[in-house]
Amino acid sequence: MAHNKAVTGKPMDKPADPPFWQVKTLEEMTPSEWESLCDGCGRCCLNKLEEEETERIFYTDVACRLFDEGSCQCKDYPNRQATVEDCLQLTPEVVPVTPWLPPTCGYRLIAEGKDLYWWHPLVSGDPDTVHAAGVSVRGRVSGTEETISDEELEDHLCDWPMEVPKRARVRT
């Protein structure tokens, strides 16, 4: 039973404000809020191939040369675009027109008017839930651009980066 002032004689607790990602658009977020939308999965750091005739995008299990598989983070995030020519900086304008963002991506979800999954660090409060839910690339990368040549990339095609793992769909 909910207690209110009429029943208990005490003032009611003020309901908590909804989290920023549920009330703000991508354009309205502060830089700190924007950066926190990244769940740290590393899927966007995987190399992708584009079929020229169809413009279809294919993921590989080969990571960017700056990717640290253990932490699932960039080894040189502030300078990544100067180092990696085709590193895409996500912005509110770029997110809606980037079809290869994984269906689990916080930026994509918010742009589509959806909520974050239970395992997202902003929801769970724990940066390791993205790994526990099987969403991150940890343990699934076969190498980096430094160890696998462009000619070998077709041998490393995979579908899982564009899928939502079963254990990530339902809170355990």
Side-chain angles (χ1 to χ4, degrees), residues 9 35 37 49 51-52 74 79 83 90 104 136 139 148:
E35 288 296 323
L37 275 184
L49 299 175
E51 188 174 58
E52 290 181 20
C74 182
N79 303 305
T83 308
L90 294 180
T104 54
S136 81
I148 297 172

Side-chain angles (χ1 to χ4, degrees), residues 47-65:
N47 279 259
K48 292 157 275 300
L49 299 175
E50 181 177 1
E51 188 174 58
E52 290 181 20
E53 302 82 42
T54 64
E55 295 184 356
R56 185 172 170 205
I57 304 292
F58 296 90
Y59 264 90
T60 71
D61 62 2
V62 178
C64 168
R65 67 180 175 271

Side-chain angles (χ1 to χ4, degrees), residues 92-136:
E93 297 76 30
V94 169
V95 169
V97 296
T98 307
W100 53 259
L101 287 175
T104 54
C105 174
Y107 299 103
R108 178 178 176 170
L109 290 168
I110 300 306
E112 293 174 350
K114 299 174 182 173
D115 203 357
L116 301 176
Y117 283 96
W118 66 266
W119 46 261
H120 192 288
L122 286 172
V123 177
S124 70
D126 182 354
D128 288 329
T129 51
V130 68
H131 309 298
V135 177
S136 81

Side-chain angles (χ1 to χ4, degrees), residues 14-54:
K14 180 183 172 195
D17 291 331
F20 72 88
W21 65 87
Q22 291 179 349
V23 295
K24 289 185 176 183
T25 65
L26 294 176
E27 294 83 5
E28 295 170 328
M29 292 184 186
T30 66
S32 175
E33 290 168 340
W34 175 267
E35 288 296 323
S36 70
L37 275 184
C38 176
D39 58 34
C41 75
R43 291 179 181 210
C44 62
C45 298
L46 296 175
N47 279 259
K48 292 157 275 300
L49 299 175
E50 181 177 1
E51 188 174 58
E52 290 181 20
E53 302 82 42
T54 64

